[in-house]
Amino acid sequence: MVGGVELRDAGTLLATAPGRTAVIALCKPEDRRFVLEAADTALASLRAAGMVVDPVAVRERQADESEWRDVWKQFFRATRVSRRFTVRPSWDPGAAPPGEFIIDLDPGRAFGTGAHPSTQLVIGLAETVKETKDKLGTFLDLGCGSGILSIAAARLWPDAAGLAVDNDSEATDCSGENFARNAVTSVRLLTGTLDDTAECFDLILANIQADVLCALAPSMPKHLATGGHVILSGILREQAEEVVTAYAPLGLRLLAQSDEGEWSGLLLGRNDSAR
């Protein structure tokens, strides 16, 4: 029903007035009535819960999908995202310091520009794994989005075979384009879920929200090789303990935690006796 939803407030790049919040929903013209009804229902629930939401103003206008897709480009510039990685979009190629790993990225509508702290936390923890594991056989990028984590892993372990999985075909299409842009040929793509592969991996990277990571926990061990590592992010700092607790009984112990702002990244290691 909704092709995209954006939240704006005084702290976002496209800001509102202080104390005001805007919710922007993109939908097909024939779906506008359902979107407006859903908004009315949500507002009624908030009022019933005692939250202050009024005054509310609703405005409508016609917009081309390309406007939604491209407006954020003015804020995405070449950015150093970790100790060794610089991410740059096609519209801002920029120069990178000598010895830097470069990821040329056009995210499209898929998540993952490298600017979000959760993405940077995963890449930073992958660099930590690289310090003790110079050779890697296989890796899995679960919920691959733009493919940025697969590209980072392929840069760190150029001889490893990767699999990038997402349940959104638009994401896997976007990842494929970015793999081609970065000459990454060692990563296969799969539109589906973790249950759609029976493979085991030496490293699993997942930048997904905490409740999904907890739900995935029981399935992780059968996809992780003995002595393997799991890097998780998309986790708010207050949720980190909950995620660690979900994985610990499955033989995946916390090796390191990195925090940036309100976000946490977790590095988990598998006990050899867990399989």
mmCIF file of all heavy atoms in Angstrom, residues 213-233:
data_model
loop_
_atom_site.group_PDB
_atom_site.id
_atom_site.type_symbol
_atom_site.label_atom_id
_atom_site.label_comp_id
_atom_site.label_asym_id
_atom_site.label_seq_id
_atom_site.Cartn_x
_atom_site.Cartn_y
_atom_site.Cartn_z
ATOM 1 N N LEU A 213 16.889 -10.059 14.832
ATOM 2 C CA LEU A 213 18.093 -10.813 15.182
ATOM 3 C C LEU A 213 17.802 -11.850 16.263
ATOM 4 O O LEU A 213 18.314 -12.969 16.221
ATOM 5 C CB LEU A 213 19.194 -9.864 15.643
ATOM 6 C CG LEU A 213 19.775 -8.938 14.571
ATOM 7 C CD1 LEU A 213 20.743 -7.944 15.206
ATOM 8 C CD2 LEU A 213 20.476 -9.741 13.486
ATOM 9 N N CYS A 214 16.986 -11.489 17.247
ATOM 10 C CA CYS A 214 16.619 -12.448 18.291
ATOM 11 C C CYS A 214 15.800 -13.598 17.713
ATOM 12 O O CYS A 214 16.004 -14.760 18.088
ATOM 13 C CB CYS A 214 15.840 -11.747 19.398
ATOM 14 S SG CYS A 214 16.842 -10.625 20.415
ATOM 15 N N ALA A 215 14.901 -13.286 16.799
ATOM 16 C CA ALA A 215 14.095 -14.340 16.175
ATOM 17 C C ALA A 215 14.952 -15.264 15.323
ATOM 18 O O ALA A 215 14.656 -16.460 15.197
ATOM 19 C CB ALA A 215 12.992 -13.710 15.328
ATOM 20 N N LEU A 216 16.025 -14.741 14.746
ATOM 21 C CA LEU A 216 16.909 -15.540 13.907
ATOM 22 C C LEU A 216 17.879 -16.403 14.709
ATOM 23 O O LEU A 216 18.473 -17.347 14.167
ATOM 24 C CB LEU A 216 17.727 -14.623 12.990
ATOM 25 C CG LEU A 216 16.996 -13.978 11.815
ATOM 26 C CD1 LEU A 216 17.871 -12.900 11.193
ATOM 27 C CD2 LEU A 216 16.629 -15.014 10.772
ATOM 28 N N ALA A 217 18.058 -16.109 15.985
ATOM 29 C CA ALA A 217 19.088 -16.762 16.797
ATOM 30 C C ALA A 217 19.056 -18.286 16.720
ATOM 31 O O ALA A 217 20.104 -18.915 16.512
ATOM 32 C CB ALA A 217 18.988 -16.285 18.245
ATOM 33 N N PRO A 218 17.896 -18.942 16.852
ATOM 34 C CA PRO A 218 17.910 -20.409 16.830
ATOM 35 C C PRO A 218 18.407 -21.000 15.507
ATOM 36 O O PRO A 218 18.894 -22.135 15.482
ATOM 37 C CB PRO A 218 16.439 -20.778 17.074
ATOM 38 C CG PRO A 218 15.863 -19.595 17.784
ATOM 39 C CD PRO A 218 16.556 -18.414 17.161
ATOM 40 N N SER A 219 18.292 -20.256 14.423
ATOM 41 C CA SER A 219 18.709 -20.764 13.113
ATOM 42 C C SER A 219 20.178 -20.513 12.818
ATOM 43 O O SER A 219 20.734 -21.128 11.901
ATOM 44 C CB SER A 219 17.856 -20.119 12.009
ATOM 45 O OG SER A 219 16.492 -20.425 12.176
ATOM 46 N N MET A 220 20.811 -19.644 13.566
ATOM 47 C CA MET A 220 22.179 -19.244 13.248
ATOM 48 C C MET A 220 23.203 -20.374 13.401
ATOM 49 O O MET A 220 24.041 -20.573 12.516
ATOM 50 C CB MET A 220 22.603 -18.042 14.094
ATOM 51 C CG MET A 220 21.995 -16.727 13.659
ATOM 52 S SD MET A 220 22.787 -16.074 12.172
ATOM 53 C CE MET A 220 22.154 -14.394 12.203
ATOM 54 N N PRO A 221 23.186 -21.147 14.501
ATOM 55 C CA PRO A 221 24.266 -22.120 14.701
ATOM 56 C C PRO A 221 24.428 -23.122 13.563
ATOM 57 O O PRO A 221 25.555 -23.495 13.218
ATOM 58 C CB PRO A 221 23.868 -22.811 16.008
ATOM 59 C CG PRO A 221 23.063 -21.792 16.735
ATOM 60 C CD PRO A 221 22.287 -21.082 15.667
ATOM 61 N N LYS A 222 23.334 -23.569 12.960
ATOM 62 C CA LYS A 222 23.457 -24.570 11.904
ATOM 63 C C LYS A 222 24.057 -23.999 10.626
ATOM 64 O O LYS A 222 24.441 -24.745 9.730
ATOM 65 C CB LYS A 222 22.102 -25.204 11.606
ATOM 66 C CG LYS A 222 21.065 -24.267 11.012
ATOM 67 C CD LYS A 222 19.742 -24.998 10.799
ATOM 68 C CE LYS A 222 18.665 -24.064 10.243
ATOM 69 N NZ LYS A 222 17.364 -24.754 10.089
ATOM 70 N N HIS A 223 24.141 -22.678 10.550
ATOM 71 C CA HIS A 223 24.737 -22.031 9.379
ATOM 72 C C HIS A 223 26.138 -21.493 9.661
ATOM 73 O O HIS A 223 26.729 -20.850 8.798
ATOM 74 C CB HIS A 223 23.840 -20.883 8.896
ATOM 75 C CG HIS A 223 22.519 -21.342 8.367
ATOM 76 N ND1 HIS A 223 22.380 -21.978 7.150
ATOM 77 C CD2 HIS A 223 21.279 -21.269 8.900
ATOM 78 C CE1 HIS A 223 21.117 -22.271 6.939
ATOM 79 N NE2 HIS A 223 20.422 -21.857 7.990
ATOM 80 N N LEU A 224 26.649 -21.746 10.865
ATOM 81 C CA LEU A 224 27.953 -21.210 11.251
ATOM 82 C C LEU A 224 28.950 -22.344 11.466
ATOM 83 O O LEU A 224 28.685 -23.284 12.224
ATOM 84 C CB LEU A 224 27.826 -20.382 12.530
ATOM 85 C CG LEU A 224 29.072 -19.613 12.961
ATOM 86 C CD1 LEU A 224 29.429 -18.539 11.946
ATOM 87 C CD2 LEU A 224 28.861 -18.990 14.345
ATOM 88 N N ALA A 225 30.082 -22.259 10.799
ATOM 89 C CA ALA A 225 31.119 -23.273 10.935
ATOM 90 C C ALA A 225 31.715 -23.233 12.334
ATOM 91 O O ALA A 225 31.702 -22.202 13.021
ATOM 92 C CB ALA A 225 32.211 -23.049 9.889
ATOM 93 N N THR A 226 32.245 -24.372 12.773
ATOM 94 C CA THR A 226 32.931 -24.437 14.053
ATOM 95 C C THR A 226 34.072 -23.419 14.084
ATOM 96 O O THR A 226 34.851 -23.314 13.147
ATOM 97 C CB THR A 226 33.503 -25.845 14.282
ATOM 98 O OG1 THR A 226 32.435 -26.786 14.261
ATOM 99 C CG2 THR A 226 34.229 -25.925 15.615
ATOM 100 N N GLY A 227 34.134 -22.651 15.168
ATOM 101 C CA GLY A 227 35.145 -21.597 15.263
ATOM 102 C C GLY A 227 34.780 -20.343 14.494
ATOM 103 O O GLY A 227 35.592 -19.425 14.392
ATOM 104 N N GLY A 228 33.550 -20.304 13.948
ATOM 105 C CA GLY A 228 33.135 -19.150 13.149
ATOM 106 C C GLY A 228 32.736 -17.952 13.988
ATOM 107 O O GLY A 228 32.650 -18.022 15.224
ATOM 108 N N HIS A 229 32.483 -16.829 13.302
ATOM 109 C CA HIS A 229 32.120 -15.580 13.969
ATOM 110 C C HIS A 229 30.819 -15.026 13.374
ATOM 111 O O HIS A 229 30.530 -15.219 12.188
ATOM 112 C CB HIS A 229 33.223 -14.525 13.797
ATOM 113 C CG HIS A 229 34.492 -14.864 14.506
ATOM 114 N ND1 HIS A 229 35.453 -15.683 13.959
ATOM 115 C CD2 HIS A 229 34.968 -14.488 15.738
ATOM 116 C CE1 HIS A 229 36.459 -15.808 14.804
ATOM 117 N NE2 HIS A 229 36.199 -15.084 15.886
ATOM 118 N N VAL A 230 30.090 -14.329 14.225
ATOM 119 C CA VAL A 230 28.872 -13.627 13.816
ATOM 120 C C VAL A 230 29.014 -12.167 14.231
ATOM 121 O O VAL A 230 29.367 -11.876 15.379
ATOM 122 C CB VAL A 230 27.618 -14.230 14.481
ATOM 123 C CG1 VAL A 230 26.371 -13.447 14.071
ATOM 124 C CG2 VAL A 230 27.456 -15.700 14.102
ATOM 125 N N ILE A 231 28.734 -11.256 13.293
ATOM 126 C CA ILE A 231 28.737 -9.827 13.599
ATOM 127 C C ILE A 231 27.311 -9.314 13.428
ATOM 128 O O ILE A 231 26.715 -9.456 12.359
ATOM 129 C CB ILE A 231 29.700 -9.048 12.683
ATOM 130 C CG1 ILE A 231 31.140 -9.540 12.878
ATOM 131 C CG2 ILE A 231 29.613 -7.545 12.967
ATOM 132 C CD1 ILE A 231 32.131 -8.927 11.913
ATOM 133 N N LEU A 232 26.768 -8.729 14.487
ATOM 134 C CA LEU A 232 25.388 -8.263 14.505
ATOM 135 C C LEU A 232 25.346 -6.774 14.806
ATOM 136 O O LEU A 232 26.069 -6.281 15.671
ATOM 137 C CB LEU A 232 24.580 -9.008 15.579
ATOM 138 C CG LEU A 232 24.589 -10.537 15.538
ATOM 139 C CD1 LEU A 232 23.819 -11.084 16.734
ATOM 140 C CD2 LEU A 232 24.003 -11.048 14.231
ATOM 141 N N SER A 233 24.475 -6.058 14.097
ATOM 142 C CA SER A 233 24.223 -4.663 14.443
ATOM 143 C C SER A 233 22.805 -4.314 14.002
ATOM 144 O O SER A 233 22.013 -5.187 13.688
ATOM 145 C CB SER A 233 25.267 -3.724 13.835
ATOM 146 O OG SER A 233 25.193 -2.443 14.458
#
